[in-house]
Amino acid sequence: IAGITQAPTSQILAAGRRMTLRCTQDMRHNAMYWYRQDLGLGLRLIHYSNTAGTTGKGEVPDGYSVSRANTDDFPLTLASAVPSQTSVYFCASSDSGRVGTDTQYFGPGTRLTVL
Amino acid sequence: DAKTTQPPSMDCAEGRAANLPCNHSTISGNEYVYWYRQIHSQGPQYIIHGLKNNETNEMASLIITEDRKSSTLILPHATLRDTAVYYCIVRVARTGNQFYFGTGTSLTVIP
């Protein structure tokens, strides 16, 4: 069992280009999340999805879009990348079947640099 | 979600217990206490969580005070691989509810 995988591991991108970060989980978790981590700011939620077919905005959604066509995949798209989107991006998933068990499990991250 | 306060850094000798405190004086009755850690350049790793009772698993113990205003994460026999940033998070266990990680405590285990 792989858990959560993210691709690519790292990427250098020219400003204005479109980029999709991939996230796949094999735990059949119903909820998935995208965070970004910047030095001194901790992790901030970008978008989330409670279940396949639904998405919601987090704390810092501007400039990002997501889709959730199935349970396993939750891609994050930057339509036109800007340097301020340089960050480390983490995908997470959780199974909220029982109260108190909404523990989020994180992927290894994607390091994105926008020049 | 309630705010938490943690010391920015701590040291611990290898083989000794590491006791990481967290203050959450504004915690609500339905909010859980979660602990995660992040080893350099890796994704956050879940450690343990609890509501009001003390909890123990293979990684750590969580001690929550009776008034729930503070808690302590205990790593019973710290190793060099436990060097990481430890985050105490208080939140309602609800799908879609994000984890606010803050800046955590940077634990350094010293040989």
Side-chain angles (χ1 to χ4, degrees), chain A residues 61-110:
Chain A
D62 294 342
Y64 305 95
S65 64
V66 292
S67 61
R68 187 89 183 279
N70 58 61
T71 297
D72 299 342
D73 301 299
F74 191 43
L76 176 73
T77 298
L78 289 68
S80 179
V82 295
S84 62
Q85 292 178 310
T86 294
S87 187
V88 181
Y89 291 85
F90 290 103
C91 180
S93 70
S94 69
D95 178 9
S96 58
R98 292 182 291 125
V99 173
T101 63
D102 186 32
T103 298
Q104 293 182 15
Y105 298 92
F106 287 78
T110 293

Side-chain angles (χ1 to χ4, degrees), chain B residues 51-70:
Chain B
L51 183 62
K52 52 185 176 182
N53 296 324
N54 297 337
E55 302 287 345
T56 296
N57 63 20
E58 65 280 2
M59 290 183 68
S61 295
L62 173 61
I63 308 299
I64 303 174
T65 58
E66 191 170 343
D67 63 6
R68 304 210 320 127
K69 294 183 183 300
S70 65

Side-chain angles (χ1 to χ4, degrees), chain A residues 31 33 35 37 40 42-43 45 48 50 59 90 96 99-100 102-108 111, chain B residues 32 34 36 38 41-44 46 49 87 91 93-103:
Chain A
Y33 311 81
Y35 290 83
Q37 185 173 32
L43 278 83
L45 184 68
Y48 65 93
N50 288 342
E59 184 182 358
F90 290 103
S96 58
V99 173
D102 186 32
T103 298
Q104 293 182 15
Y105 298 92
F106 287 78
R111 184 175 297 276
Chain B
Y32 286 72
Y34 291 79
Y36 280 75
Q38 189 172 23
S41 298
Q42 298 181 21
Y46 167 76
H49 78 288
Y87 297 96
R91 67 187 282 277
R94 181 178 67 242
T95 302
N97 198 15
Q98 76 174 83
F99 281 79
Y100 288 94
F101 277 77
T103 53

Side-chain angles (χ1 to χ4, degrees), chain A residues 4-56:
Chain A
I4 297 180
T5 58
Q6 293 184 236
T9 302
S10 64
Q11 181 75 44
I12 299 174
L13 188 67
R17 299 296 295 268
R18 180 184 180 91
M19 176 73 191
T20 295
L21 308 184
R22 299 185 298 279
C23 175
T24 299
Q25 53 103 359
D26 62 3
M27 298 176 283
R28 307 302 295 171
H29 285 173
N30 54 333
M32 297 186 75
Y33 311 81
W34 274 106
Y35 290 83
R36 60 178 288 174
Q37 185 173 32
D38 303 291
L39 194 63
L41 294 176
L43 278 83
R44 294 181 293 169
L45 184 68
I46 304 171
H47 286 287
Y48 65 93
S49 168
N50 288 342
T51 188
T54 69
T55 62

